[in-house]
Amino acid sequence: GDSVTQMEGPVTLSEEAFLTINCTYTATGYPSLFWYVQYPGEGLQLLLKATKADDKGSNKGFEATYRKETTSFHLEKGSVQVSDSAVYFCALMDSSYKLIFGSGTRLLVRP
Amino acid sequence: EPEVTQTPSHQVTQMGQEVILRCVPISNHLYFYWYRQILGQKVEFLVSFYNNEISEKSEIFDDQFSVERPDGSNFTLKIRSTKLEDSAMYFCASSDPWGRTNEKLFFGSGTQLSVL
């Protein structure tokens, strides 16, 4: 079945550092891909999405590009802030309109 | 932005007791979901609901679980006889796959269920 694999966390960075969180997927066809973020004590919020190959999703300085050749959707940000500390989930939408999540990557940004 | 609301935010229950978790999805949405997240683990799909019936369910969603849309606005998850391993954060979500928000799932802030 469809699945999503994310890099293990936690990822600890200093403020203004460059962030990459790796995500790869296995799926039948070409699903839409998502990054969701979970801030401490809160629910899941959509951060960005991409619906087809070579699409780039972006929001709040975060970017991810849908790479069909490598079945990847890595999350990047050029300069992280303390307020970006959260758990980030990569996900795909399967053919029955449900999201399949990766295991999540905790990001801790230190001042 | 419209919101999915869940109540209660925390629920403590004794093993073997029944619990009902409540959700109010966004009003014009058509698909409803329950997910759960055991502490520190991934977010797992439990069930999806469309057109007043279960669309899909996972292996986790056994006979102890049921869902209902009793009145056209609420969407509930019932666990008939809770076990210790049911302790988790339960998220409700809704979506309108063919509408303006397309494939975006809107999640509630969750109900933390603790089974003692």
Side-chain angles (χ1 to χ4, degrees), chain B residues 19-30:
Chain B
V19 294
I20 297 176
L21 309 183
R22 302 181 193 280
C23 169
V24 179
I26 294 169
S27 61
N28 61 336
H29 282 186
L30 302 175

Side-chain angles (χ1 to χ4, degrees), chain B residues 72-84:
Chain B
S73 61
N74 291 284
F75 180 53
T76 61
L77 174 69
K78 182 193 289 187
I79 308 174
R80 217 177 316 278
S81 177
T82 49
K83 308 184 192 70
L84 295 176

Side-chain angles (χ1 to χ4, degrees), chain B residues 95-111:
Chain B
S95 73
D96 179 19
W98 305 286
R100 191 174 55 84
T101 53
N102 198 240
E103 296 168 309
K104 178 178 177 180
L105 265 67
F106 291 75
F107 283 84
S109 53
T111 294

Side-chain angles (χ1 to χ4, degrees), chain B residues 24-37:
Chain B
V24 179
I26 294 169
S27 61
N28 61 336
H29 282 186
L30 302 175
Y31 264 89
F32 313 112
Y33 309 81
W34 284 101
Y35 284 79
R36 79 171 186 190
Q37 184 182 28

Side-chain angles (χ1 to χ4, degrees), chain A residues 4 32 34 36 38 41-46 49 51 87 89 93-94 96-104 106, chain B residues 31 33 35 37 40-45 48 55-56 91 95 97-98 101-110:
Chain A
V4 176
S32 294
F34 303 79
Y36 275 79
Q38 184 180 31
E42 297 185 16
L44 296 158
Q45 300 174 29
L46 178 64
K49 63 179 270 193
T51 57
V87 181
F89 291 92
M93 179 159 282
D94 72 4
S96 59
Y97 297 111
K98 74 175 187 288
L99 286 175
I100 296 172
F101 287 92
S103 54
R106 181 175 299 278
Chain B
Y31 264 89
Y33 309 81
Y35 284 79
Q37 184 182 28
Q41 297 186 27
K42 71 191 300 182
V43 178
E44 301 174 292
F45 169 76
S48 59
S55 176
E56 188 173 346
F91 291 107
S95 73
W98 305 286
T101 53
N102 198 240
E103 296 168 309
K104 178 178 177 180
L105 265 67
F106 291 75
F107 283 84
S109 53

Side-chain angles (χ1 to χ4, degrees), chain B residues 37-81:
Chain B
Q37 184 182 28
I38 294 172
L39 185 64
Q41 297 186 27
K42 71 191 300 182
V43 178
E44 301 174 292
F45 169 76
L46 293 178
V47 66
S48 59
F49 192 86
Y50 171 70
N51 204 26
N52 286 318
E53 59 183 27
I54 290 175
S55 176
E56 188 173 346
K57 59 183 181 180
S58 72
E59 292 175 356
I60 302 167
F61 195 89
D62 61 21
D63 291 344
Q64 293 298 314
F65 291 87
S66 62
V67 289
E68 199 177 34
R69 189 156 161 79
D71 56 13
S73 61
N74 291 284
F75 180 53
T76 61
L77 174 69
K78 182 193 289 187
I79 308 174
R80 217 177 316 278
S81 177

